Amino acid sequence: MASRERLYTVDDVWRLACAPENDAKKICLIDGEMLVTMSPGHIHGRLALRIGQYIANYADEHNLGEATVEVGYHPPDDRQTLLIPDVAFEGSTQASTPATAGYAPFMPDLAVEIISPSQTLAQARRKASVYLRHGTALVWLVHSAEKNAEIWTIADDGAPQSETVESDGNLSGGAVLPGFALPLGRLFPD
């Protein structure tokens, strides 16, 4: 009989995340598999703040919902998936849900992942697919090294689809943030 790896839950991650020795770690789950990364670097932090500011300002101005940074989200019906986007947007319906001390028991409408030097493009794309599979409508993968981004959505046939936005293009809010456009040049000044 083959041995089976242990599958972790949101509760396991919460216990680990609350331990002092894990302060500098970011712990996610995909289908029960634990993924551990270190705290983001300086460029990463600046990008996350800047993107979050643009989203928060737009959402406030148009009364659309709330922006968050580094919040853990899990689907309500799946305790073995937990993702922590660098920046997220919760539309009005989700933003009206009372905040909890723990992880949010729903997925954000928009998830932004800034690809760190220790992360591969395949790993980031896997996360984008997981977000979309669990109800996130829009995912932005921001490549600071390449000064571009990928916008991920669900196609009409239900499959994940992406488009690349070059440094002279805009990140679109689509149906999640109607009318929102963030020029990548504002994120990556020369």
Side-chain angles (χ1 to χ4, degrees):
M1 184 164 137
S3 68
R4 186 173 168 190
E5 266 187 55
R6 176 174 182 214
L7 297 178
Y8 294 92
T9 69
V10 170
D11 302 313
D12 296 323
V13 173
W14 183 255
R15 279 190 295 280
L16 287 169
C18 290
E21 65 270 17
N22 294 321
D23 278 349
K25 296 177 184 169
K26 190 172 167 181
I27 306 169
C28 297
L29 287 174
I30 296 179
D31 300 325
E33 175 190 348
M34 194 178 303
L35 308 169
V36 180
T37 57
M38 297 310 290
S39 293
H42 194 208
I43 292 171
H44 188 113
R46 283 184 173 184
L47 277 172
L49 178 60
R50 187 169 283 196
I51 293 167
Q53 283 176 317
Y54 283 115
I55 292 171
N57 291 343
Y58 189 85
D60 287 348
E61 182 180 329
H62 299 280
N63 198 29
L64 295 172
E66 295 284 334
T68 65
V69 178
E70 300 286 334
V71 170
Y73 292 90
H74 67 87
D77 58 345
D78 181 354
R79 303 221 24 104
Q80 293 185 331
T81 298
L82 172 72
L83 295 172
I84 305 172
D86 296 304
V87 179
F89 171 73
E90 303 169 4
S92 296
T93 303
Q94 292 168 322
S96 66
T97 303
T100 66
Y103 302 122
F106 55 85
M107 298 303 282
D109 293 302
L110 165 64
V112 181
E113 290 283 346
I114 300 166
I115 300 171
S116 62
S118 64
Q119 186 178 38
T120 67
L121 186 55
Q123 290 168 328
R125 288 177 174 162
R126 178 183 182 205
K127 279 187 180 178
S129 177
V130 172
Y131 281 115
L132 295 171
R133 183 176 76 215
H134 289 289
T136 299
L138 181 63
V139 179
W140 297 342
L141 301 180
V142 179
H143 307 259
S144 60
E146 302 294 326
K147 296 187 178 182
N148 67 15
E150 293 180 10
I151 297 176
W152 284 81
T153 57
I154 294 288
D156 291 339
D157 66 359
Q161 66 180 3
S162 70
E163 70 173 283
T164 300
V165 178
E166 297 301 334
S167 61
D168 60 349
N170 295 318
L171 283 172
S172 166
V176 174
L177 288 166
F180 179 87
L182 173 55
L184 279 183
R186 289 187 182 168
L187 299 179
F188 307 119
D190 289 334

